[in-house]
Amino acid sequence: MTMTTEQAAWFADTFEKLVANVGQAVLGKEHVIRLTFTAMLAEGHVLFEDAPGTGKTSLARALAATVQGSNNRIQFTPDLLPSDVTGVTIYDQKTQKFEFHKGPIFNNIVLADEINRASPKTQSALLEVMEESRVTVDGVTYSAGRPFMVMATQNPIEQAGTYRLPEAQLDRFLIKTSIGYPDHASTVRLLAGSNVKDRSKELPAVITTQAVADMADLAATAHVDTAVLEYISRLCEETRSAPETRLGVSVRGALAMVRAAKVWAASQGRNFVLPDDIKELAPVVWTHRFVMDPEAEFSGATAEAVLTRILADVAAPQQRTNA
């Protein structure tokens, strides 16, 4: 069943309230907040490549407060073990049974801080839960619940003692973006309220976690015309055949675009996806999935430039098709 125009209008109104609420704690970053909520409602995850002190923890807390969800922060370090993330099974001598003690991954919003500082083995502990929202420990599977979103961070400058995220893990992030420093006016507002250490504590809840799950289910019913699907497929094929890339956008990346575009369209009050939605989301949904050719990269080629050229070369469908 396709989303109705009335449902799309309700979705857009609720989405605006969510963004405005978080915007009270994270000043001057409306676009980033929109992208983060888009990832949440598309049931995906976000990778922030940012310098320290730009408000990533505040954003995670504000999101959790807005949807009445739980949140936790995991500081990734070289000595972090997979069980420190997922949890561990411990034998209880009183009951003479093994009991599973859940790790910090069992929260609605999990901030994986400096994820590239942990070993590849610990990073891989996130693969199953990010893809399937469940964790398997000692042969027993535990659900992570809904909503569930990993917000991972990595410092783009300081690379000493880090482990580069493998392509398989990067592919599991729906969106890669950065918060960046606030503008002058927002900085002045932050400084004026320096006595408030955590603005997220003052935020009222807008909806419940169950309502977030319902919104995600509703967004999934937005209509995507066959012409738009063919457009997405052609773009993906071009990223794979581009001379500057060794690997382009995978099928997982194409599916991620469809899910994200449905939420993006619904957030604007439409029950159908336009080619413009694909163009707007492509830089944050696709560029981190490229594996560039080393020689081309040495010559100055970037994933962003390759994608820009492909978007210009591949003709978008002209019709405006609704359900």
Side-chain angles (χ1 to χ4, degrees):
M1 183 178 178
T2 305
M3 180 192 304
T4 65
T5 53
E6 292 79 10
Q7 288 173 324
W10 171 83
F11 188 103
D13 181 63
T14 306
F15 192 93
E16 289 299 325
K17 291 177 180 177
L18 295 173
V19 172
N21 198 60
V22 174
Q24 297 178 59
V26 185
L27 304 180
K29 296 298 175 182
E30 180 180 330
H31 185 65
V32 175
I33 297 171
R34 287 181 178 278
L35 289 176
T36 309
F37 269 120
T38 297
M40 176 187 286
L41 295 171
E43 300 191 292
H45 312 282
V46 185
L47 176 62
F48 291 98
E49 192 167 78
D50 255 317
T54 53
K56 298 178 287 293
T57 302
S58 297
L59 176 58
R61 290 175 177 171
L63 287 168
T66 299
V67 302
Q68 293 185 11
S70 60
N71 76 96
N72 209 328
R73 177 179 175 273
I74 308 173
Q75 182 63 52
F76 279 67
T77 56
D79 60 347
L80 192 73
L81 299 175
S83 59
D84 295 330
V85 176
T86 59
V88 64
T89 302
I90 299 175
Y91 182 74
D92 190 328
Q93 292 184 342
K94 291 183 179 180
T95 61
Q96 296 186 347
K97 293 181 180 179
F98 285 96
E99 293 184 358
F100 178 63
H101 292 249
K102 292 183 176 181
I105 199 67
F106 288 93
N107 283 275
N108 297 120
I109 297 172
V110 179
L111 181 65
D113 208 6
E114 294 189 292
I115 189 173
N116 54 336
R117 290 202 176 279
S119 67
K121 184 176 182 180
T122 301
Q123 290 177 12
S124 66
L126 290 172
L127 294 181
E128 180 187 16
V129 67
M130 288 177 66
E131 184 69 18
E132 303 176 24
S133 295
R134 64 183 189 183
V135 176
T136 302
V137 179
D138 295 332
V140 181
T141 300
Y142 306 89
S143 174
R146 296 178 72 195
F148 170 71
M149 180 171 68
V150 173
M151 294 173 56
T153 75
Q154 59 180 8
N155 189 333
I157 305 300
E158 187 181 347
Q159 297 299 320
T162 63
Y163 300 86
R164 184 175 179 177
L165 293 180
E167 286 72 22
Q169 187 161 355
L170 281 173
D171 207 26
R172 282 169 168 78
F173 285 101
L174 180 73
I175 286 173
K176 180 184 177 184
T177 186
S178 64
I179 296 179
Y181 294 113
D183 57 29
H184 176 73
S186 298
T187 302
V188 172
R189 288 178 59 194
L190 282 169
L191 296 176
S194 59
N195 58 310
V196 181
K197 292 185 178 181
D198 186 358
R199 291 171 176 265
S200 64
K201 290 183 179 180
E202 301 177 354
L203 293 183
V206 175
I207 57 175
T208 64
T209 52
Q210 180 57 53
V212 173
D214 292 341
M215 286 183 71
D217 292 337
L218 179 60
T221 65
H223 177 69
V224 187
D225 190 72
T226 303
V228 177
L229 295 176
E230 291 177 350
Y231 178 56
I232 293 172
S233 180
R234 287 198 303 271
L235 290 172
C236 292
E237 291 166 1
E238 288 295 322
T239 66
R240 298 168 197 155
S241 60
E244 301 94 335
T245 64
R246 284 192 172 181
L247 286 177
V249 178
S250 66
V251 175
R252 182 187 286 120
L255 290 169
M257 174 59 79
V258 174
R259 296 200 309 272
K262 286 182 176 182
V263 176
W264 196 256
S267 72
Q268 298 177 47
R270 284 184 277 107
N271 62 346
F272 58 95
V273 174
L274 294 175
D276 285 347
D277 297 326
I278 311 303
K279 293 179 180 179
E280 190 164 2
L281 290 171
V284 295
V285 175
W286 278 348
T287 52
H288 64 283
R289 304 173 195 270
F290 288 19
V291 177
M292 300 296 292
D293 179 79
E295 292 186 9
E297 200 167 22
F298 183 76
S299 300
T302 63
E304 291 77 12
V306 172
L307 181 62
T308 299
R309 189 193 72 232
I310 291 173
L311 289 172
D313 291 345
V314 178
Q318 298 299 315
Q319 65 268 27
R320 293 173 59 91
T321 307
N322 59 5

